Amino acid sequence: MEQESINQLRAQFRGDLIEPADARYEEARKVYNGMISRKPRLIAKCADVADVITAVRFGQQHGVRVSIRGGGHNAGGLGVCDDGLVIDLSPIKYIRVDPAAKTVRVGGGCTWGDVDHATHAFGLAVPSGIISTTGVGGLTLGGGMGHLTRQYGLTIDSLLSADVVLADGTFVVASAEENSDLFWAIRGGGGNFGVVTSFLFRAHPVATVCAGPMLWNLDQVADIMKWYRDFITRAPEELNGFFAFLTVPPAPPFPEALHFKKMCGLVWCYNGTMDKANEILGPLRKAFPPAFEFFVPMPFPMLQGMFDGLYTPGLQWYWKADFVKELSDDAIALHIKHGSELPTLHSTMHLYPVNGAAHKTKSGDTPWSYRDSTWSEVIVGVDPDPANRDRITAWAKNYWEALHPYCAGGAYVNFMMDGEGEDRIRATYKNSYGKLSQIKAKYDPDNFFRVNQNIRPATSVAAD
Ligand SMILES: Cc1cc2nc3c(=O)[nH]c(=O)nc-3n(C[C@H](O)[C@H](O)[C@H](O)COP(=O)(O)OP(=O)(O)OC[C@H]3O[C@@H](n4cnc5c(N)ncnc54)[C@H](O)[C@@H]3O)c2cc1C
């Protein structure tokens, strides 16, 4: 990338082009995970699809490494790259809800908070995750699981079509009717196939939900995990609940007596009335009264933003993940051992349900290959202080190594760090890897888009 060619690019580009000497560079290269510090040669903040096409063609012409940045939340920081070109979609923010059709058109740079804000006005929501600052792009293309998974499936199950700029700079629509192979691949295959500049989702009736955490002391973990394992696969689909080991944050609504206490919890989201929710959760409260609960009616966007204040951008994050089919008593014993040793206030382990409506789509219908699992497990060592990096990493690795033999094989791509290796990616896509690899060869034969959980093209390979 010569300076002169960057200068020429400026003449065609409507958004901002940020180089290392620019005062905005330090801020622009940061991603959500403070453990990642990469220094791109150029950050192209695209104003529109034309800018994306220009940036892709520029990257091809100059043979540079390219990363695609949506919300910048990726675990391994795959939205940025060293020495290359970042195609930053964050300025492409627009949302149009069609209340009659119950669909929503979302610009490629939106976060889920943007989407929830827009859809909530119409009593609608798209299934996404559990934090509002996460990007729509990365979460959707990796699958997307969260508070509405059990009722409405993964985020990709609500994706109707996408606008995609391919590796050669051409623009296509991917849907069930157009380029259906590409549409199949992007529903779980991540950013391997092109830059998605716009998503069209089906939206679902969700307005006020009954939601929030219930917490128990650690001496009750075994009881709670065993109760939860039996309950969650049989629970009504309008109810989602994930399990967590956590340290109680020193802030409202938690009582001071519990601040900084290590506990276990279930975080619920019930899309229905409080009376019905209480009826469903009554037996749990009776058998194991929570030490604390904050389970109240709230607007759905409030639930989506509930953890934003705790998990602010810039913390150090080390992620390890797996899919889980069964939670045996032996696995529970290991969870108790490692989960009780949370190394810092922000560190946690979550078991997100992959059941209910998520099981209605078959594994082969999308490349998301663990439809037959019951949970997606994620162990995250998290802390604001870079000095604790090794401590949180060692805890997460040890915990994961202990539990991995009890897991289903692969892991959710969006919960993996960079460089976990091709075997992990193949294990994650199982039988779908071959088809993904063929589709990659058709749409990106030179592996131009390779700063991701990379699927290698079937016929040729460009290595880093
Ligand atoms: C605090 C936190 C909470 C999370 N909670 C959940 C959760 O509840 N559920 C869940 O499913 N996931 C969750 N995740 C994981 C999240 O899905 C991934 O981190 C995801 O990659 C974030 O997307 P992004 O657009 O913000 O990422 P970015 O870092 O911007 O991008 C990541 C990668 O995605 C691809 N990409 C992004 N946008 C596009 C696009 N428009 N076109 C093509 N490729 C693109 C690129 O390959 C890029 O390298 C969470 C992450 C964090 C940090």
Side-chain angles (χ1 to χ4, degrees):
M1 251 189 287
E2 300 298 326
Q3 189 61 51
E4 198 183 319
S5 51
I6 295 176
N7 294 344
Q8 283 167 6
L9 179 66
R10 285 186 190 281
Q12 307 161 46
F13 204 79
R14 201 177 182 96
D16 287 323
L17 291 175
I18 302 177
E19 294 182 67
D22 194 308
R24 298 165 300 175
Y25 179 77
E26 281 307 311
E27 199 51 39
R29 75 182 183 86
K30 275 186 199 159
V31 287
Y32 182 83
N33 186 352
M35 214 180 255
I36 313 289
S37 173
R38 301 208 177 109
K39 295 189 171 168
R41 172 67 183 88
L42 183 64
I43 300 168
K45 284 190 171 277
C46 301
D48 54 18
V49 179
D51 275 356
V52 175
I53 292 171
T54 302
V56 167
R57 290 197 171 138
F58 181 85
Q60 284 283 16
Q61 203 183 340
H62 296 277
V64 294
R65 186 203 303 251
V66 162
S67 69
I68 308 166
R69 181 186 172 124
H73 258 235
N74 187 262
L78 291 167
V80 278
C81 57
D82 276 324
D83 304 322
L85 167 67
V86 175
I87 298 182
D88 183 341
L89 304 171
S90 57
I92 306 183
K93 271 195 201 288
Y94 56 80
I95 297 171
R96 185 176 188 279
V97 182
D98 182 336
K102 292 198 171 47
T103 59
V104 53
R105 168 72 63 186
V106 177
C110 290
T111 64
W112 283 107
D114 300 328
V115 178
D116 292 333
H117 175 78
T119 53
H120 187 65
F122 298 94
L124 297 169
V126 177
S128 58
I130 64 153
I131 298 252
S132 81
T133 53
T134 310
V136 170
L139 181 137
T140 301
L141 299 171
M145 67 189 84
H147 292 301
L148 299 175
T149 303
R150 295 196 72 254
Q151 185 171 19
Y152 296 122
L154 302 176
T155 306
I156 45 172
D157 301 336
S158 292
L159 184 63
L160 297 173
S161 86
D163 292 349
V164 189
V165 175
L166 300 175
D168 63 0
T170 54
F171 174 90
V172 296
V173 172
S175 69
E177 291 78 33
E178 286 178 80
N179 301 299
S180 56
D181 54 352
L182 181 62
F183 185 56
W184 180 85
I186 61 171
R187 285 176 294 157
N192 272 283
F193 302 91
V195 185
V196 177
T197 52
S198 172
F199 297 85
L200 180 69
F201 293 105
R202 181 180 297 114
H204 307 271
V206 182
T208 298
V209 291
C210 303
M214 291 182 183
L215 304 184
W216 291 267
N217 292 320
L218 283 184
D219 58 8
Q220 287 184 286
V221 182
D223 289 337
I224 299 304
M225 283 189 114
K226 285 175 189 173
W227 177 88
Y228 173 69
R229 118 188 124 181
D230 297 337
F231 170 81
I232 198 65
T233 52
R234 297 190 319 242
E237 289 181 358
E238 313 83 74
L239 181 71
N240 200 88
F242 70 86
F243 176 90
F245 281 110
L246 71 149
T247 306
V248 178
F254 302 106
E256 268 184 42
L258 296 184
H259 288 180
F260 298 109
K261 193 172 158 69
K262 289 175 186 158
M263 302 187 83
C264 73
L266 292 169
V267 181
W268 301 110
C269 171
Y270 181 66
N271 188 18
T273 65
M274 198 65 181
D275 283 351
K276 190 76 189 148
N278 286 336
E279 194 182 302
I280 297 165
L281 294 172
L284 168 65
R285 287 191 177 109
K286 195 161 172 233
F288 308 108
F292 173 76
E293 67 171 272
F294 182 74
F295 182 79
V296 294
M298 63 179 80
F300 183 67
M302 183 176 154
L303 174 65
Q304 290 286 83
M306 188 178 263
F307 305 110
D308 290 3
L310 180 64
Y311 291 113
T312 50
L315 306 178
Q316 308 279 307
W317 287 73
Y318 189 84
W319 299 66
K320 290 299 286 181
D322 264 319
F323 287 112
V324 179
K325 270 189 195 160
E326 283 167 18
L327 201 49
S328 66
D329 289 356
D330 289 349
I332 287 177
L334 288 166
H335 272 295
I336 295 170
K337 176 178 182 306
H338 293 272
S340 306
E341 293 168 358
L342 297 169
T344 58
L345 170 72
H346 295 81
S347 297
T348 188
M349 190 289 293
H350 291 173
L351 286 173
Y352 297 109
V354 180
N355 50 63
H359 281 188
K360 287 180 183 156
T361 303
K362 292 194 182 58
S363 279
D365 293 349
T366 67
W368 208 90
S369 296
Y370 279 85
R371 298 280 182 170
D372 57 346
S373 65
T374 311
W375 293 279
S376 176
E377 171 197 286
V378 65
I379 301 161
V380 278
V382 190
D383 196 62
D385 189 350
N388 283 331
R389 179 188 172 126
D390 290 348
R391 195 153 70 93
I392 58 176
T393 301
W395 171 78
K397 280 185 176 168
N398 287 340
Y399 192 157
W400 180 85
E401 274 160 21
L403 266 301
H404 185 61
Y406 298 87
C407 293
Y412 179 37
V413 279
N414 276 345
F415 291 164
M416 282 161 62
M417 295 297 280
D418 191 12
E420 291 206 17
E422 198 176 341
D423 288 352
R424 286 288 281 160
I425 298 168
R426 282 178 180 270
T428 289
Y429 291 114
K430 292 200 279 191
N431 297 339
S432 293
Y433 189 90
K435 186 170 166 188
L436 283 168
S437 181
Q438 297 286 344
I439 297 170
K440 175 81 170 173
K442 177 176 169 188
Y443 289 98
D444 183 14
D446 300 323
N447 207 6
F448 178 68
F449 297 115
R450 61 181 177 276
V451 182
N452 43 42
Q453 300 298 352
N454 196 230
I455 294 156
R456 292 187 180 248
T459 48
S460 66
V461 174
D464 258 338

